[in-house]
Amino acid sequence: MSRDRYVDFLRAWAIGLVVLGHWLITALVREPGGEIRAPELLATVPWTQWLTLGFQIMPLFFLAGGHAAGGSWARARAAGGTAAGWVKGRALRLLLPAAVYSGLVLSAVGICSAVGVDPNTLELVGWAMAMQFWFLPVYLLLSALTPPLHAAHRRWGLLVPVAMGAVALVADTLVVTVHTPYVGLLDHVLVWGVAYQLGFCWRDGLLTERRPLPAALAAGGALAFAALITLGPFPVSLILVTGQTPSNTDPPSAAMLAWAVAQVGLCLLAAPAVRRLLDRERVWRAVRPVGGASMTLYLWHMLPVLIVAAAFYLTGLAPEPTLGSAAWWGLRLPWLLVLGVVLAGVVRALRPLERGLSLLYERTRPDPDFSRSSGSSHSWLPWLGLAASVTALTRFATRGFAPDGRFPVLPALGLLLGTTLLTARRRTTTDRDPGEPKEALREAA
């Protein structure tokens, strides 16, 4: 009853649009030799880049994530919890399903590589199954930084996202003008971190106590975005387009920052009307399952594309009109419907796995006073596990699950190490075997 239904709706809305957007722009072509090629719609039909303004909705996911994390960390602090324990718990919620997904995909890559599947095909499939992974390392880093970020928020409020945005603009200027290496990596945390930090401000009322502020954010962000794509060097596409320089996403640009601010403003303006709709139980019952399955949908939504490709394109059954033609767009509706039906079957098949992951999370999540109960010699393990996991996930996000058609040994080992360290739990008196003598426990103490 204490959950904010609008925050859950934003998560579901963001995930739904990400899935729909990826499906909509995915184009498949069967070559005369039988291999499948995936031409890039945004590069082939340039006007479609305007569609990304509606489908690039991830700022709202970070906004909702900041809102939820701010409340969760505040409650943990009030209960005497520690940063290590809280971060471990938040990381596990993302990492467990991502690790299982990665393990299954990597197993398939290993088998296909061993039986001699064409390396180019394997590389394409490995890329398709990892294209959504860019989000995971960024979100894990922001989760790890939540305790200091929230401390800064409690002290300086709205000045924190303003300062983060200013630093992001400086970094982006260096990237665009003098091509300073590695500086752009900061913007992955800073730009998305602005939306995350605004989630703290939203939860504490700093964005809604002044009525003109949401409208100012929406109008100011939209005008800045329009200026940056018309007078500045930035493209309109908010999704990476091959060969397009500079990009708005790799790293996130000033234009992306402006669009994120505009989306936050629009989100706040829409909140009263959407909350009234969500108060209707019939509407809420339709939204809630999507939010509950958000990670499953996000991780697995490209699998139906591979299934449909095998069933209709490898067999030559799928019609293949010219990419971007009226006939091609007309076939998008049955394409989306078929993918939706397949995804529903995938989600249903994964329910036992989700229940198993829930049980594993309950067994491995830390106690609120994790670092004190584990001792100083063990409190660094979650941070090491988080670092290894973020490094491995970043590698998958940039190179896919089969770079050059080969099995990625080092990233796979890094993810295994990181997951093992994060799921490791020190045995305490509450975990002892019922038959263990109390005297032995007293001696151990």
Side-chain angles (χ1 to χ4, degrees):
M1 296 300 293
S2 63
R3 292 184 68 87
D4 188 333
R5 289 184 174 185
Y6 187 51
V7 175
D8 289 340
F9 165 79
L10 290 179
R11 285 201 194 94
W13 179 252
I15 292 299
L17 280 184
V18 166
V19 172
L20 184 62
H22 283 168
W23 287 353
L24 186 65
I25 66 173
T26 297
L28 300 176
V29 175
R30 186 175 187 271
E31 298 290 354
E35 64 273 12
I36 301 297
R37 183 170 58 88
E40 193 172 353
L41 178 66
L42 298 180
T44 308
V45 187
W47 70 263
T48 58
Q49 295 179 25
W50 288 93
L51 298 177
T52 64
L53 272 64
F55 285 102
Q56 179 51 275
I57 206 76
M58 293 311 288
L60 295 188
F61 200 95
F62 283 98
L63 176 73
H67 187 289
S72 175
W73 172 236
R75 290 188 295 272
R77 284 180 63 250
T82 62
W86 184 86
V87 169
K88 177 181 177 180
R90 299 292 287 190
L92 283 174
R93 287 185 179 275
L94 279 179
L95 189 58
L96 285 177
V100 170
Y101 171 85
S102 300
L104 292 173
V105 175
L106 288 169
S107 298
V109 168
I111 293 171
C112 291
S113 180
V115 300
V117 172
D118 176 59
N120 293 327
T121 301
L122 195 57
E123 183 177 21
L124 176 62
V125 172
W127 169 81
M129 296 300 284
M131 63 183 296
Q132 72 276 34
F133 263 41
W134 71 267
F135 160 81
L136 295 172
V138 177
Y139 200 88
L140 284 169
L141 281 174
L142 288 172
S143 295
L145 292 171
T146 293
L149 288 176
H150 198 262
H153 160 74
R154 294 195 305 273
R155 183 167 183 177
W156 293 297
L158 279 169
L159 291 178
V160 180
V162 171
M164 292 172 69
V167 177
L169 292 177
V170 172
D172 193 43
T173 301
L174 293 174
V175 171
V176 173
T177 56
V178 296
H179 309 291
T180 306
Y182 304 114
V183 172
L185 295 176
L186 292 173
D187 277 343
H188 286 283
V189 175
L190 290 171
V191 171
W192 301 118
V194 167
Y196 191 79
Q197 197 79 21
L198 287 173
F200 298 162
C201 299
W202 178 28
R203 181 182 179 275
D204 291 346
L206 299 180
L207 298 181
T208 52
E209 62 184 8
R210 301 173 186 174
R211 296 190 65 182
L213 187 55
L217 292 174
L223 289 173
F225 177 80
L228 288 166
I229 65 171
T230 53
L231 305 177
F234 301 102
V236 67
S237 178
L238 294 173
I239 295 175
L240 182 65
V241 177
T242 302
Q244 198 172 70
T245 303
S247 165
N248 283 328
T249 59
D250 190 23
S253 67
M256 179 66 81
L257 176 61
W259 194 247
V261 171
Q263 279 196 0
V264 170
L266 290 171
C267 164
L268 298 175
L269 290 173
V274 178
R275 279 196 171 104
R276 286 194 293 270
L277 281 175
L278 294 173
D279 285 338
R280 302 177 182 177
E281 286 304 314
R282 183 177 299 178
V283 176
W284 177 238
R285 283 197 299 269
V287 171
R288 185 172 54 187
V290 179
S294 59
M295 271 302 288
T296 303
L297 296 173
Y298 188 80
L299 290 172
W300 292 90
H301 72 273
M302 290 304 291
L303 179 60
V305 174
L306 301 182
I307 294 173
V308 171
F312 294 97
Y313 283 85
L314 284 179
T315 58
L317 295 176
E320 296 186 42
T322 303
L323 182 65
S325 65
W328 187 86
W329 284 107
L331 288 172
R332 288 290 90 180
L333 180 58
W335 163 260
L336 295 176
L337 290 175
V338 170
L339 291 178
V341 170
V342 176
L343 182 60
V346 170
V347 171
R348 186 176 183 84
L350 290 172
R351 283 180 182 173
L353 179 61
E354 287 185 331
R355 287 193 290 269
L357 285 173
S358 296
L359 293 174
L360 179 60
Y361 174 77
E362 291 301 321
R363 293 185 61 183
T364 56
R365 69 187 179 105
D367 298 323
D369 59 344
F370 170 78
S371 65
R372 287 186 286 271
S373 65
S374 298
S376 59
S377 62
H378 295 272
S379 61
W380 55 270
L381 288 178
W383 304 108
L384 180 59
L386 187 62
S389 300
V390 166
T391 302
L393 291 172
T394 301
R395 185 71 172 175
F396 291 140
T398 55
R399 298 292 306 279
F401 283 112
D404 302 320
R406 295 190 296 243
F407 185 88
V409 177
L410 290 180
L413 291 175
L415 185 58
L416 177 62
L417 173 64
T419 306
T420 301
L421 290 176
L422 275 166
T423 53
R425 185 178 182 186
R426 184 175 180 268
R427 195 164 181 261
T428 65
T429 57
T430 58
D431 300 321
R432 71 180 181 90
D433 185 85
E436 188 172 353
K438 295 181 180 180
E439 291 76 8
L441 291 175
R442 281 195 288 269
E443 291 176 9

